[in-house]
Amino acid sequence: MDQTKQEPYVSYLEHKGKYTGIRSWIFTLDHKRIGLLYMYAIMVLFFVGAIMGLLMRIELLKPGETIMKPQTYNGLFTVHGIIMIFMVVIPGLSVVFGNFFLPILIGAKDVAFPKLNRFSWWVYIAGCILAILSQFLKNGPPDTGWSFYAPYSTTTGTNVIMATFAAFVLGFSSILTGLNFIVTIHQMRAPGMKFMNMPLFSWAIYATAWTQLLATPIVGITLLMLIAERLFGIGFFNPNLGGDPVLFQHLFWIYSHPAVYIMILPALGVITEIIPTFCQKKIYGYKAIAFSSLAIAGVGFLVWGHHMFTSGMSNQARWFFSLLTFLVAVPSAIKVFNWLATMYKGSIDLKPPFLYALSFIFLFTIGGTTGLLLGSVATNVQVHDTAFVVAHFHYIIFGGMGFAFFGAIHYWLPKMYGRMYNFKRATIAWAIIFVGFNLLYFPQFILGIEGVPRRYFDYLPQFQPLEVISSVGGFILITGLIMMVYNLVQGARKGEIAPANPWHGSTLEWQIPSPPSLENFDEAPVVKSNPYDYE
Amino acid sequence: MTEKATHIEAHADDEAKKLGMWLFIFTELLLFGGLFLVYSVFRAKYPANFHEGSLELSVTIGAINTIVLLVSSMTIAMSLTAIQKNNRKLAMTLISVTLFLATVFLFNKVFEWGAKFEHGLYPGSKLMPMLERGDLLYFSLYFFMTGLHALHIIVGMVLLTICLFKVKSGNVNSKKYIHLENGALYWHLVDLIWIFLFPLLYLIT
Amino acid sequence: MANNTTHTTEYRVLARVLLVLMFLTFLTISVTSYHLAAFGVTVALLIAGTKGFLVLTYFMHLKYESLLLRILVSMVFVLYAVIILITFIDYAYR
Amino acid sequence: MFSNASNFVHGVDKAFLIIGGFTVFFLVSFTAIMIFFIVKYNRKRNPKATQVKDNTLLEVIWTTLPILLVLFMFYIGWEGFLPMRQDPKGAMKVKAIAQMWKWNFEYEDNKQSDTLVLPINKPVRIDLVSKDVIHGFFVPAFRIKEDVVPGKNNYSWFIPGELGDFDLICSAYCGVSHSYMTAVIRIVSQQKYDEWIAALSALPAASSNPGFTVLQNNACTGCHSIDGSPLVGPSFKGLFGSTIEVKTNGVMRKVKVDEEYIETSIYDPDKDIAKDFTHGIMKPYKNIIKDNDIKLINDYLKTLK
Ligand code: HEA
Ligand code: HEA
Ligand code: CUA
Ligand SMILES: [Cu+2]
């Protein structure tokens, strides 16, 4: 580097490596390209899953058969659930923005194991292909619901083995990603970057990665047992052979409850990045937010039984799980309080990313506090397995993780592509999405309280008005989403050239050019003691 | 970059790889953890059947296999010591001994399973569903757990074989032995799991 | 984590550990052949736990690793124990 | 203000109101705060942010208060729930038998009915039995729900407090006709109940044909009617000896239904798929239904002209 011959700046998008064309992507080791690869895959899958959701809404427009047979409907919600949960939201933010920004935020050149990172992506794609194949093979799509409850899942004639195996493979990819991120955070921080001055998104990813690492193997082995049950009749979950179907539920939720925090923690992290930037103010309660991520991840391991309150667990277990479910809500509440405190006396700029952050808080509060209604045993008995649960998790997954995802794209797109999207169009799209979303899911809370079960192909005529509002909301929502995606794609391809730091952010990613170069930092980054220093 | 910097970087890389291996071991532990959970639930439900079931297994074979694995665990630990002391020959011998012991273990296992198969006792057989429920679950668990463990033995053998070649080619040497260290860690994990499998499956009172 | 000292475990330490492990194996077999019924499981698990501890500390060099790693390893075992315990809150009272 | 349909309505609805009240309170106040901040500290109005120092006391307060609050909510919920698991000793007993997509209620003396008729104001304990997969015993108006898990003795109990018909629905997903697995709970006066139960004959002389028993025991009748009405699968009425269209390996063909065809249809249903139906719905009964039971089924089907 002694010859000071100024070379022209080459971003990671233009960088010429060993391969060219599509192979320069599939065989890339660059964490940023891998992040984008995940994003494209997830976008496509999200679209497929969403169309399935919409088909269900059309079917529910009027009682009785509308456009499909019951079996088709059952296949639809199962595959909708599998795609959305295992392929879209569990990897979701962590593989897209975690991959792209985690190394940059901690001042590293790449993740700890780039080859392993690429391998995770391949495994992920393999899992997706398997899951999609399970749709089209001879026996028809799996029809068990995404929770694969035994003994139904051990007896139905559909492609359950293929689907569970796909979930197993996807879990493997998730484990490897989590492993990679933990090592990255421990070993790759820039000199001077202590744990306590990492940006909070990295903290969120850290907590998420531990959950991925420690919870996923349990569902892995459970799904293997389910497959063995189907192939050899080993009897673990089959009451006729002495097994115990409730044991399956325990094992499934030991993973799948922590999994919901795998989905939401990075989302909370993203919001924690967006809010200080658009208030130009130091984040309030850095430590409280960092530790509440760990607390959510930790306590989140101990509450799985709240999905099984009606399965005939012992009373002691119901007592325990309900109590802990309530306690796990507290760290989430702390985060919300700190966000509000950060806005206090800030200088608030209502740009699209911030609009998504605000609506996130609104929707997350609805989703989260209805979670409390579910966690209370008395009310759970009434609303368990009803549309109320469906509304709860769509609010918290789509309204939470989904809105955080959209916020993150709007926030980081100028860094990722070096271009800017159209603000006005983005704001209109946001408004349509917000309205459509609430129309789609809010009626389902009421339906649930009135006792309309979930996974129901048909319903009684008196519920039709609410179901229709819900379906109409679905169409409004998709209009807004298409507009948003169009705007983003246009922006990324031919938007105005964006400056390196369009929002005056203070974290490390804004101190390098957009888009970043292959090695992220051409000279060692300067680490501030507090990442959110706006003085 | 100066030579020193390269060295530090390579070293940090080794630390990362070791941490990575440990994290992977955590997932393996919890993978088996799920099975142990199932085991404890059914053992609590059918204690008598589990006892009877365990009488069908040969404690002698189990004990031999335990000893074999323990010794192999020591030899692979020693091979790491050897390479740290720059004694390549000894390291290679010790890895080979480990591989040999692993083969003995598998051979025993095949023998043990084979005996069960001959009696028509294997998952999916006609006999299994006719057993008492507790016995059926015991044998299902037995096959599932030891089968998964045997699979890990095989993976471990592949890893150690790779290490053997790396030692031979000098890729693993007294300065840079992280691959062998990780291979050894994996092998100890396999041993660790067996330490629990043995009393739980063979020695039920 | 910049813990650059790597420790070499001497052969004789490893050999001694193996001897203890063998002895413990022998012990658990002989203990369980007396029908201690209720205690059988506890004793077997205690012995297995000791053996596991030895393997972790000496064979897997945990004794010489950073404090962080030791904490992480114990955390995993604690987490697993807690999960089992909680599951049995259900099964023990059914 | 609460309905009186069962003794649990009060506890559950109270929990709903209290926890739901806090929910609404937080939602409204957070939204109000956010709007207030957006207006007050808008960049136009407040171009430069004022940095505020962290305040540990504040953090402690807003950790402790929510903890106390959630403990209170937990208590309310637990209080509303606990009675549901404490069935009184002398309660009248009925067995609810669930099997794929049908409820059956067994009273004392082996009397069966597909409507659950109960006297008002008398505690009743429902023992939940499943013959196949998990179903859910859910009566929205009574605020009760309990899963019907095969191989497990689960129960539910309540004291009905209002006359009339109530819906019983299956809440746990159980296959194709999950959404049609409903039944009626009819609450009547004690006197009417006594009359009704006296008139109920013991087990409707289960069609003496052994083939029919096989069909019933294997829950075939959940999908196949014997009276020609369409259910999930083709009706058995007039099936035997007729010529039907089936799809084999993707090709439509005509077959005459004989013993052999019935046998393959049961052991490998996806081999020949009847017109207008899809594969994968009926599971193969290989190893489940024995050879001589197949014979019994055939003999019975021959009688269904
Ligand atoms: C991203 C995913 C996600 C997240 C983060 C959560 C978060 C929570 N969930 Fe949810 N949940 C799901 C996804 C998620 N859930 C899914 C997918 C299902 C259905 C699975 C299926 O069966 O298919 C489900 C089902 C489910 C059930 C089982 C319902 C049933 O089937 O009977 C329960 C029961 O307790 C529950 C509770 C909670 C609670 C208490 C939280 C808490 O963590 C929420 C914490 C957040 C807040 C509390 C809001 C913010 C705080 C405030 C606004 C301050 C005020 C609050 C206080 C003072 C406490 N959820
Ligand atoms: C991430 C999770 C997620 C998301 C986003 C959605 C989105 C939607 N879901 Fe959901 N759903 C689940 C997870 C999710 N779902 C799960 C887990 C279940 C339970 C399954 C089970 O019971 O087993 C379920 C069940 C479920 C049911 C209940 C079925 C039943 O019980 O009977 C219904 C019914 O209305 C429904 C509808 C919808 C609709 C209309 C949408 C729509 O809102 C979708 C609208 C979204 C779009 C239209 C997006 C368009 C996308 C693009 C244009 C690409 C843009 C991408 C990027 C920019 C990255 N879903
Ligand atoms: Cu029976 Cu759903
Ligand atoms: Cu949960």
Side-chain angles (χ1 to χ4, degrees), chain A residues 309 314-324 377, chain D residues 74 78:
Chain A
F309 282 144
S314 76
N315 265 4
Q316 286 79 349
R318 298 190 219 218
W319 186 90
F320 177 86
F321 283 124
S322 176
L323 180 63
L324 263 89
V377 214
Chain D
F74 161 72
W78 184 249

Side-chain angles (χ1 to χ4, degrees), chain A residues 285-322:
Chain A
Y286 176 95
K287 274 192 197 143
I289 297 186
F291 288 127
S292 62
S293 288
L294 294 184
I296 294 177
V299 186
F301 266 99
L302 316 178
V303 304
W304 73 81
H306 64 209
H307 297 270
M308 307 159 54
F309 282 144
T310 65
S311 67
M313 275 195 304
S314 76
N315 265 4
Q316 286 79 349
R318 298 190 219 218
W319 186 90
F320 177 86
F321 283 124
S322 176

Side-chain angles (χ1 to χ4, degrees), chain A residues 214-242:
Chain A
L214 298 180
T216 320
I218 308 246
V219 80
I221 193 73
T222 311
L223 295 177
L224 285 187
M225 286 188 253
L226 183 61
I227 292 175
E229 180 89 57
R230 281 186 74 98
L231 291 177
F232 306 116
I234 56 172
F236 295 172
F237 309 129
N238 185 344
N240 294 331
L241 297 179

Side-chain angles (χ1 to χ4, degrees), chain D residues 101 135 170 172-174 178 181:
Chain D
W101 318 313
H135 300 274
C170 175
Y173 175 71
C174 55
H178 165 55
M181 186 166 165

Side-chain angles (χ1 to χ4, degrees), chain A residues 1 6-11 108-109 511-513 515-525:
Chain A
M1 253 185 252
Q6 197 66 40
E7 288 186 24
Y9 178 77
V10 185
S11 78
K109 288 189 174 147
Q511 276 143 52
I512 53 175
S517 67
L518 184 67
E519 302 247 283
N520 300 342
F521 301 97
D522 292 329
E523 45 212 82

